[in-house]
Amino acid sequence: MNITGLTKVGDSMMAILTGPDKQSFVLHVNDRLLDASVKAIDQQGVVFMQQIEGTKPQEIRKTLRAAAEVIR
């Protein structure tokens, strides 16, 4: 999954994700996606809380742009 867009409507942030099959999804805070839920969305990306059975929850951050990508 790649974060392809972020938008704010009123006080609510939404993230647009694209999967490997090029299908797009719009996610809000608390939405579920596979084994994770959306914990937070901000201007840089999305924070997921992943819960795999038998393990403790893990926080994963996916950003809109790769850390090494330079915008000029």
Side-chain angles (χ1 to χ4, degrees), residues 30-70:
N30 296 323
D31 283 351
R32 292 200 52 79
L33 183 65
L34 302 174
D35 60 357
S37 61
V38 178
K39 180 178 178 184
I41 302 172
D42 60 28
Q43 292 84 2
Q44 287 76 41
V46 181
V47 178
F48 293 95
M49 187 58 73
Q50 184 181 37
Q51 176 63 57
I52 299 174
E53 190 172 328
T55 65
K56 67 180 187 175
Q58 179 180 356
E59 197 171 276
I60 299 169
R61 179 163 190 71
K62 293 204 51 110
T63 58
L64 179 59
R65 293 183 177 84
E69 185 177 346
V70 176

